[in-house]
Amino acid sequence: MLDPKFVRANPEEVARLLKKKGYVFPVAEFAALEEKRRSVQVQAESLQNERNTRSKSIGQAKASGQDIQPLMDEVKSLGDQLDQAKQELQEVQQALDDLLMGVPNLPDESVPEGKDEDDNVEVRRWGTPVEFDFEPQDHVSLGERVGLDFETAAKLTGSRFAVLKGDLARLHRALIQFMLNTHTADHGYTEVNVPYMVNADSLRGTGQLPKFEEDLFKIPFGERDYYLIPTAEVPVTNFVRDQIVEADQMPMQFVAHTPCFRSEAGASGKDTRGMIRQHQFEKVELVHIVEPEKSFAALEQLTANAERILQLLNLPYRVITLCGGDMGFGAAKTYDIEVWLPGQSKYREISSCSNMTDFQARRMLARWRNPESGKPELVHTLNGSGLAIGRTLVAVLENYQTADGRINVPEVLQPYMGGVTQL
RNA sequence: GGAGGGAUGGCUGAGUGGUUGAAAGCACCGGUCUUGAAAACCGACGAGUCGCGAGGCUCCCAGGGUUCGAAUCCCUGUCCCUCCGCCA
């Protein structure tokens, strides 16, 4: 959520910045609601004040043994007026909240203008795509022989699921272990294991609700609903919801491995072949909770931590800055890391690293005690994939393939493969 | 699933329906003392919101209710703890 104070004071500026994201901020509607809120609030509060004052004097009169009946008669009629004013205030407030909860985060000034992915800006490249002296296969045909099975998954569940068998399943697991070990041992992250279902409050905190419910899998449970997590960002970032973190606990860096569940509503026809886009996939996620002035530096670090995985796996990639129009709802700035896929002759997204600034923190009421002011202030939150496991597996299959359709095991994964060096 | 007990400021923890936004302790902050620090002592010390300001309003798990007035009484829900049952 944006800072209501800031929006109130700079509605035109907000509209201008949001335009970069392709979002039209309803300046007039907001202004009208604000004005109404202000007048209703003043009225409600003055009635409240009057009732409080009179009730207090009844208490004093009673204590000194006076007759309180006349005083009570006087105050009685106040109640109805007060109830009405309160209700009106609640309605306006609700409308204002609903509006604000649906407004995306402001893009940072450094974010390039642009409408969609074609306007993203490449920042750097690492590695050189391998020149094969044969026609490289894509992961689907490569995977067939080594245990990548979509048919069985379709029988068990439906489309957009996969079954992995044998050494391929083990390679998948090796990637997870390798990434977790690297981030904890080399990059100083704290490993966490979290629930794969969350409540609506958590999803509101990170911004998936109320706007993007159709992207989620919902589980009815008793009187309410739980949701399968679309990313570990949700449970992990919500660690600090409704918390005031002491300064010596900052910054926080968490790494979590979880499955992720996405309905992929609106993606029908996109990436239907293979395991690029599934309803269920696994991911190692990085989350930072930091002091506000350090968040953009933290974004660089987090991105570098994710990149390091690809470097150690010797997979060529590039880093791009998302343009305003391609950015997510809560992000102020996003780097995507795209890995080279020989099967597609393309760079494809394998990680997305974002600085959410105080957008999620305000929704979550996640604060830290700033020693300079002694006051609780909103933290900044960041997250990024470090990396998406399924897509990394795809990248390994395609980049490490041999002329006879076998897969070499990357050196850094071999310790996890029990002596297997080729699939 | 059954039976009890809880939820109060950053933390621990008092609180009779009426000047209680809330005792006390700890932590944090400022000061005295000290070469410096510790200890001791003194002082300040919850959050949000509206207002230029004085000041107002809200918040004692959440949501309803009773009342002129609720942290305090009633109802519903959530979470935590203890015991029993069941269970990976």
Side-chain angles (χ1 to χ4, degrees), chain A residues 193-198 217 219 227-232 235 257-261 282:
Chain A
N193 190 284
V194 297
Y196 304 154
M197 290 186 228
V198 292
F217 284 102
I219 312 289
Y227 296 82
L228 296 178
I229 56 171
T231 160
H257 157 245
T258 70
C260 304
F261 303 91
E282 303 197 24

Side-chain angles (χ1 to χ4, degrees), chain A residues 44-61:
Chain A
E45 288 188 1
S46 72
L47 283 167
Q48 184 73 256
N49 180 17
E50 183 158 351
R51 196 198 65 181
N52 288 351
T53 310
R54 294 197 184 210
S55 291
K56 208 169 263 182
S57 62
I58 290 175
Q60 287 170 338

Side-chain angles (χ1 to χ4, degrees), chain A residues 101-150:
Chain A
M101 282 294 272
V103 177
N105 198 3
L106 303 177
D108 185 61
E109 293 288 356
S110 68
V111 168
E113 297 277 352
K115 202 158 67 66
D116 53 35
E117 58 195 21
D118 296 332
D119 299 318
N120 293 337
V121 175
E122 185 172 310
V123 183
R124 58 183 167 269
R125 285 187 187 215
W126 185 93
T128 315
V130 193
E131 295 284 342
F132 293 102
D133 50 13
F134 56 89
E135 187 63 32
Q137 306 177 53
D138 79 355
H139 72 279
V140 180
S141 48
L142 285 166
E144 235 172 285
R145 188 183 52 81
V146 293
L148 178 56
D149 179 356
F150 295 104

Side-chain angles (χ1 to χ4, degrees), chain A residues 33 35-45 47 80-96:
Chain A
L33 276 170
E35 194 179 331
K36 187 166 181 204
R37 193 220 86 234
R38 190 179 291 221
S39 69
V40 173
Q41 182 167 340
V42 167
Q43 195 203 351
E45 288 188 1
L47 283 167
D80 291 342
Q81 289 179 59
L82 184 60
D83 284 347
Q84 202 186 337
K86 267 184 176 170
Q87 198 188 331
E88 209 176 329
L89 178 61
Q90 207 182 350
E91 280 164 17
V92 184
Q93 198 66 259
Q94 187 64 51
L96 219 40

